[in-house]
């Protein structure tokens, strides 16, 4: 555990915490060997015992240690001591670019370009070492007191190899590239995109894409064109606007291909800001299909015939040399040669046309035969004439699935499995004291039985001994039914289906049924009528996939992403994945319906409280302690959080803390004890000598246990 004042590596004294990140904390420290101040990044204690985190931390250190550039925060040392993993870096005292932009509202064009050039040069040095930053944003760019611009925090950088690099790491969503938002390929041009967004913010004082959720912003990066910075600040030069647009192209192939190319244009924009010199690359046009004319085909045929043998190629080279040597002689016969060449071309064209006609005829016959075979095959397979390629059982029951075992398992696990098979679970609760609440007791379909997809599976589930009667909401409007259920403490899941007898928007049925008992907080599924069947969208299963994959699937199905929230969920297999969707699988909804998602943060972490009195050091702890001494009292949890730091001479101290993450902690008493003066008399001379008392600092530590919170 890191404490202020401790030494690491026998040379780095920890002075104060200056920053924190997802995996590590950063401390201002003093290097006593070189007598300079440095920044020490320390892996957090909760990750130091995890081999994967330690490995990622070491990769970060090794990648960053290979970079030495004036526009990069340099790494001095890497070490490990008593399970403390740390990186020693250059200490840059200054302000982040983000705070600088907020302070000035927006930057001038020249200042923004100057900063962009320095940032580009730093990133270029990293790219030359095959290192991609992947999280370029104003928060990771520091402007020192001397005006030097430095790129920092290669926290999610990875060494690039000749292999394809894929990563699902997404940096700050306002600056992430479209390919990072999709979780796909990420390379040097992703950094160029993020730098383009950063330039946009420097010039305008705002980010180009914003939204209520991270998902909404990511979709805009993927789908919406970048707005022109001149829409907000008209005085921005044309060349600078074009540079930003080229950096932020959706396709990586259309951006600057290297940081060096970007630096060149940035410097040019300082000299000639209003010139139109930025070349926009369109690989689709460069590689577009071009029609071959008859004359082109004649020339191609000539070139092909001339390369039939090495002898012919050598003869052509001699002819070319002879042509230049005898150029004057050819001038006199030029008109005659032109007539002969026209005759040759006419003969070649006739020969080419006849061959192409024969080839076209053969291809047409082959295509007709293939189409006929395919049609015969499809007709025969449909009528059952052709048995091959089919499994008889599958052909008879192509949409059937095997019923899995569900009895004795938790309801949430069973629901997830059934929905994944396309089956629709209906729940009936049974009050019992023999089984815990939420346990599936029985099912109307036997194990291994083949059933049609979308079949309703009736589950009988234990409600425990404290079940609550479920209100009967069938026939009510959706709003009224949901209100009645939620007032009783139930969670409402909605599914939709077509029904010609129930008005659109009213509840057809519910599961569990009204009048039965179910545990408080359990889910009640209501089936909402959509009236007569029309062009609705069937809701797919998004549970168990990543937020980005769910976002893509929802968008592709013609729906939209609603709110996305992070919640605790007991199923550890869903950590970081979607654990809830607002419409059940198989529901039919209107195109454009918003689907709300919840992403699991993992099981809720246990918390503790501490409510009591801290007594003064006892005689057993320190016989020299005296009442009235001034004592510094601190309380530190096991995970390094300090709850109390106070000076007092009066005990006991009353304390009350809640939400503590650790089960144990330490109370530390620090105080000075002064011994009494001693007087001695010399028996021979009668001389009296007095020895003054001495002061000694005492430190007493006392272990304490915290109380678990319910």
């Amino acid at each position: 555990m890191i404490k202020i004042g401790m030494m690491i590596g026998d040379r780095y004294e920890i002075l104060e915490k200056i920053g924190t990140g997802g995996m590590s904390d950063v401390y201002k420290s003093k290097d006593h060997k070189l007598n300079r101040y440095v920044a020490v990044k320390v892996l957090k204690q909760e990750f130091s015992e995890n081999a994967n985190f330690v490995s990622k931390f070491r990769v970060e250190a090794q990648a960053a240690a290979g970079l030495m550039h004036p526009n990069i925060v340099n790494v001095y040392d890497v070490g490990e001591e008593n399970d403390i993993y740390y990186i020693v870096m250059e200490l840059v005292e200054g302000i982040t670019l983000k705070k600088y932009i907020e302070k000035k509202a927006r930057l001038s064009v020249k200042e923004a370009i100057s900063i962009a050039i320095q940032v580009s040069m730093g990133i270029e040095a990293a790219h030359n070492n095959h290192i991609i930053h992947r999280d370029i944003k104003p928060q990771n760019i520091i402007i020192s007191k001397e005006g030097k611009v430095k790129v920092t925090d290669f926290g999610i950088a990875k060494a690039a190899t000749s292999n394809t690099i894929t990563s699902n790491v997404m940096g700050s969503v306002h600056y992430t590239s479209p390919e990072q938002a999709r979780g796909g390929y990420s390379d040097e041009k992703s950094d160029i995109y993020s730098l383009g967004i950063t330039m946009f913010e420097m010039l305008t004082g705002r980010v180009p894409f914003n939204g209520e959720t991270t998902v909404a912003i990511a979709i805009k990066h993927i789908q919406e064109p970048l707005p022109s910075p001149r829409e907000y600040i008209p005085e921005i030069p044309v060349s600078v606007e074009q540079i930003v647009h080229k950096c932020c192209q959706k396709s990586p192939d259309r951006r600057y291909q290297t940081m060096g190319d970007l630096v060149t244009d940035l410097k040019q924009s300082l000299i000639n800001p209003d010139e139109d010199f930025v070349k926009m690359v369109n690989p689709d046009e460069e590689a577009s299909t071009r029609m071959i004319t008859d004359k082109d085909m004649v020339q191609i045929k000539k070139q092909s015939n001339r390369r039939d043998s090495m002898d012919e190629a050598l003869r052509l080279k001699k002819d070319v040399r002879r042509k230049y040597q005898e150029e004057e002689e050819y001038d006199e016969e030029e008109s005659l040669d032109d007539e002969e060449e026209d005759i040759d071309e006419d003969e070649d064209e006739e020969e080419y046309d006849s061959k192409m006609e024969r080839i076209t005829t053969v291809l047409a016959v082959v295509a007709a035969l293939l189409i006929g075979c395919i049609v015969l095959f499809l007709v025969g397979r449909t009528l059952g004439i052709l048995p091959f390629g089919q499994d008889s059982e599958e052909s008879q029951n192509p949409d059937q699935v095997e019923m899995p075992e569900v009895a004795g398992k938790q309801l949430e696990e069973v629901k997830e499995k059934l929905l994944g098979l396309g089956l629709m679970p209906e729940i009936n609760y049974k009050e019992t004291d023999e089984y815990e609440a939420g346990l599936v007791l029985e099912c109307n379909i036997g194990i291994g039985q083949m059933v049609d997809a979308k079949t309703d599976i009736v589950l009988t589930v234990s409600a425990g001994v404290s079940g609550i009667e479920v209100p009967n909401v069938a026939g009510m409007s959706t709003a009224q039914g949901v209100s009645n259920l939620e007032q009783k403490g139930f969670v409402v899941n909605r599914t939709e289906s077509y029904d010609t007898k129930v008005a659109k928007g009213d509840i057809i049925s519910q599961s569990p049924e009204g009048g039965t008992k179910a545990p408080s907080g359990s889910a009640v599924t209501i089936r909402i009528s959509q009236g007569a069947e029309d062009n609705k969208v069937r809701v797919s299963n998004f549970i168990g996939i990543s937020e980005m994959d769910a976002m893509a699937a929802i968008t592709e199905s013609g729906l939209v992403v609603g709110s996305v929230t992070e919640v605790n969920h007991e199923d550890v297999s869903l950590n970081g994945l979607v654990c809830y969707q607002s419409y059940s699988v198989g529901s039919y909804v209107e195109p454009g319906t918003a689907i709300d998602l919840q992403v699991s943060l993992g099981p809720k972490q246990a918390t503790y409280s501490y409510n009591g009195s801290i007594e003064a050091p006892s005689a057993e702890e320190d016989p020299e302690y005296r009442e009235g001494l001034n004592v510094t009292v601190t309380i530190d949890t096991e995970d390094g959080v300090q709850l109390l730091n106070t000076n007092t001479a009066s005990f006991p101290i009353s304390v009350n803390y809640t939400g503590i993450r650790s089960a144990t902690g330490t109370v530390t008493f620090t105080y000075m004890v002064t011994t009494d003066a001693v007087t001695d008399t010399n028996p021979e001379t009668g001389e009296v000598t007095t020895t003054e008392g001495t002061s000694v600092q005492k430190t007493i530590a006392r272990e304490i246990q915290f109380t678990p919170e319910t």
Side-chain angles (χ1 to χ4, degrees), residues 224-243:
E224 293 189 8
L226 186 82
S228 170
R230 299 183 71 186
E231 292 179 8
Y232 307 101
I233 311 297
E235 57 264 32
I236 294 175
V238 174
S239 63
V240 177
E241 177 194 37
Q242 291 177 339
I243 289 172

Side-chain angles (χ1 to χ4, degrees), residues 215-227:
V215 174
I217 299 171
I219 291 175
K220 290 182 179 180
H221 278 287
I222 296 171
Q223 297 180 347
E224 293 189 8
L226 186 82

Side-chain angles (χ1 to χ4, degrees), residues 38-57:
V38 295
V40 177
K41 178 182 286 190
V42 181
L43 185 65
K44 289 184 177 179
Q45 186 177 4
E46 57 263 36
F47 300 124
S48 62
E49 297 177 357
N50 187 309
N52 291 332
F53 281 105
V54 171
S55 175
K56 186 183 293 185
F57 193 77

